[in-house]
Amino acid sequence: GNGFKIIGCHTDSPHLKVKPMSKREGSGYVQLGVECYGGGLWHTWFDRDLGISGRVLVRVVDPETQQEKIEQHLIRISKPIARVSTLAIHLETAEERGAFKVNKENHMTPVIGTKTLLEAAAAKQLNEIGGDYDDDSWKKGQEPALLRLIASELGIETKQIANFELGLFDTQPASVGGMKDEFLNSARLDNLATVFVSLEALVDYTKSDDVAEDDMISLIACFDHEEIGSNSAQGAGSPVMAEAVSRISSALSENTNARDPEVHSSAVRQSFILSVDQAHAIHPNYSHKHEKNHGPQINAGVVIKTNQNQRYATNCVTAFIIRELARKGEKIPIQEFVVRNDCPCGTTIGPILSANTGIRTVDLGMPQWSMHSCREVMGIADLTHGANLMKSFFKHFNEVDNTVEG
Ligand code: ZN
């Protein structure tokens, strides 16, 4: 029945995902069918050096039992095999140049090779991809060159590939920018930056003496599918979080045979969730887009996000608790964000988790620019501020008066 200290974040970012039938023929080039995942700033995906990564289901035969089973392998091809090219300015009308519009179906199909590769692949295709599974219509819809690349990367034969979930990514590594090294330029800061600081804080806490004295459970939960609304079996909208609290509580309670609903309810009442996701720093060239008293600055601290229409889960009590944790931690500046009344507001896993579990929640984040671009930017100092606040949560939450109802 003891409480849980939970940091919730999401792992996904908008990107291009390979379609179930990846093969694209007829253009004279080898192309890859892709689907736009999430709300990306898609124009930023043009003219990038794109690699491919994800997971592959592989058929293997157990040498002892001769039974076939399926293994999941992670794959990351960092060589820039794919590219979505812009149309030359000379071929655009003045109107098209000004509009900077992207048709997500027609304009974003990456090229992965030239016709020579295509012809060679077609000649080899039949005997190579078929094998024992030549009735596999899924496999016939795949680009053979892609299947061969995956197979060689994993050290398997193409006929062993049963399915895959692949996405494109920018192969350019992250860099430190600005005159004084103040900025971190990188893909996927939303939301891997907060996954990183949360994990750092948890690892740090497990090494400290405080953890032995702590009667609360500290955990972080990293969800997929936030960018598309969190409604999936592994998203924040699933029963996973509530089940985790319930099952951990009953596993640790004295009467482990009976799942006592009172134990679960008591744990929920004493628990707290930090929903940590990146925040919007005020953009100097678009400052009119911000409410002028709530414009977070880069490298000026962690942002508490508030929205009275509950697009963020923060309330009067949960925001207070964060300011207390910041005060008790290592010099953690706090900034406040609300969106302008005449502007739509983003949302996070915060309201979903708190509604699903009944656990009080606050929405926080480190400020950044270019959210949902292929290349985002945040402040280096804010990584430290974020990590320090997460550490203060695990270390000091038990000391904060947590008895006022939300
Ligand atoms: Zn996010």
Side-chain angles (χ1 to χ4, degrees):
N2 294 3
F4 285 64
K5 292 181 276 193
I6 300 167
I7 302 178
C9 6
H10 72 90
T11 55
D12 58 322
S13 307
H15 69 287
L16 300 174
K17 284 191 125 156
V18 177
K19 283 183 177 174
M21 296 283 150
S22 65
K23 190 155 60 173
R24 282 291 169 278
E25 289 176 320
S27 70
Y29 289 89
V30 187
Q31 290 185 273
L32 212 52
V34 294
E35 189 175 356
C36 296
Y37 173 82
L41 289 171
W42 298 117
H43 61 271
T44 65
W45 281 78
F46 283 75
D47 301 343
R48 301 270 171 177
D49 307 345
L50 302 173
I52 194 163
S53 65
R55 60 173 167 171
V56 182
L57 300 187
V58 178
R59 295 178 196 272
V60 288
V61 177
D62 188 310
E64 275 174 25
T65 62
Q66 292 302 304
Q67 288 276 359
E68 187 185 85
K69 54 177 189 165
I70 295 292
E71 285 178 355
Q72 177 175 287
H73 291 262
L74 296 180
I75 187 170
R76 179 189 164 99
I77 297 163
S78 297
K79 190 173 128 124
I81 58 161
R83 190 177 206 274
V84 183
S85 296
T86 44
L87 181 66
I89 195 163
H90 318 85
L91 305 180
E92 289 177 288
T93 63
E95 204 182 316
E96 283 166 342
R97 274 176 227 156
F100 212 54
K101 256 195 190 154
V102 177
N103 179 300
K104 292 193 279 181
E105 182 61 36
N106 300 335
H107 301 157
M108 300 217 58
T109 308
V111 171
I112 60 168
T114 57
K115 207 173 172 185
T116 336
L117 174 66
L118 189 72
E119 281 163 353
K124 280 174 136 189
Q125 182 176 356
L126 275 179
N127 51 16
E128 209 174 304
I129 66 165
D132 296 341
Y133 304 100
D134 54 5
D135 56 346
D136 189 337
S137 62
W138 173 80
K139 200 165 281 176
K140 288 175 185 153
Q142 304 314 317
E143 175 47 56
L146 177 67
L147 290 182
R148 271 203 302 282
L149 179 65
I150 293 169
S152 79
E153 198 71 20
L154 293 176
I156 58 169
E157 292 180 56
T158 47
K159 68 178 184 187
Q160 289 178 266
I161 301 172
N163 205 352
F164 54 61
E165 180 180 359
L166 298 172
L168 300 181
F169 67 95
D170 187 2
T171 56
Q172 185 185 1
S175 68
V176 173
M179 294 287 287
K180 298 269 185 191
D181 295 343
E182 310 100 307
F183 298 112
L184 174 63
N185 307 311
S186 173
R188 299 178 297 280
L189 290 173
D190 171 21
N191 188 38
L192 296 186
T194 66
V195 172
F196 172 71
V197 296
S198 308
L199 192 55
E200 283 279 292
L202 187 70
V203 170
D204 193 74
Y205 189 58
T206 58
K207 290 179 187 159
S208 75
D209 296 337
D210 302 318
V211 74
E213 312 279 299
D214 194 348
D215 59 7
M216 293 184 78
I217 309 284
S218 298
L219 66 85
I220 68 172
C222 306
F223 293 97
D224 194 4
H225 291 158
E226 190 271 350
E227 299 294 357
I228 52 165
S230 296
N231 271 329
S232 71
Q234 65 269 44
S238 73
V240 166
M241 193 74 255
E243 275 179 14
V245 170
S246 171
R247 296 178 71 179
I248 293 170
S249 297
S250 71
L252 295 176
S253 71
E254 274 161 22
N255 183 6
T256 48
N257 293 328
R259 198 171 284 177
D260 183 351
E262 278 306 308
V263 171
H264 175 71
S265 304
S266 164
V268 163
R269 287 291 159 259
Q270 295 177 70
S271 298
F272 200 80
I273 297 175
L274 305 192
S275 160
V276 196
D277 199 345
Q278 291 287 91
H280 300 294
I282 190 164
H283 191 308
N285 303 344
Y286 299 88
S287 54
H288 64 283
K289 286 285 188 183
H290 281 257
E291 202 278 333
K292 66 175 185 297
N293 298 308
H294 297 83
Q297 301 279 340
I298 297 252
N299 281 334
V302 181
V303 180
I304 298 177
K305 306 182 211 172
T306 305
N307 180 267
Q308 296 305 338
N309 298 302
Q310 290 296 296
R311 302 283 287 166
Y312 301 132
T314 309
N315 66 29
C316 151
V317 179
T318 61
F320 157 77
I321 288 173
I322 289 305
R323 292 188 202 106
E324 285 296 279
L325 292 173
R327 218 166 45 77
K328 288 172 184 288
E330 274 180 64
K331 290 191 214 126
I332 306 159
I334 293 289
Q335 311 186 78
E336 305 283 341
F337 177 78
V338 294
V339 80
R340 284 174 61 99
N341 283 321
D342 56 2
C343 181
C345 187
T347 189
T348 65
I349 60 171
I352 297 168
L353 282 181
S354 60
N356 269 358
T357 60
I359 298 175
R360 289 174 305 163
T361 302
V362 64
D363 267 295
L364 300 170
M366 295 167 296
Q368 70 162 84
W369 291 320
S370 310
M371 193 177 283
H372 291 191
S373 164
C374 191
R375 189 89 174 162
E376 303 176 330
V377 58
M378 69 177 291
I380 296 278
D382 289 328
L383 277 174
T384 309
H385 298 142
N388 284 343
L389 184 62
M390 304 303 114
K391 286 175 189 174
S392 179
F393 176 48
F394 291 136
K395 189 172 160 66
H396 296 297
F397 179 76
N398 314 37
E399 303 158 19
V400 177
D401 183 1
N402 175 31
T403 51
V404 182
E405 283 295 326

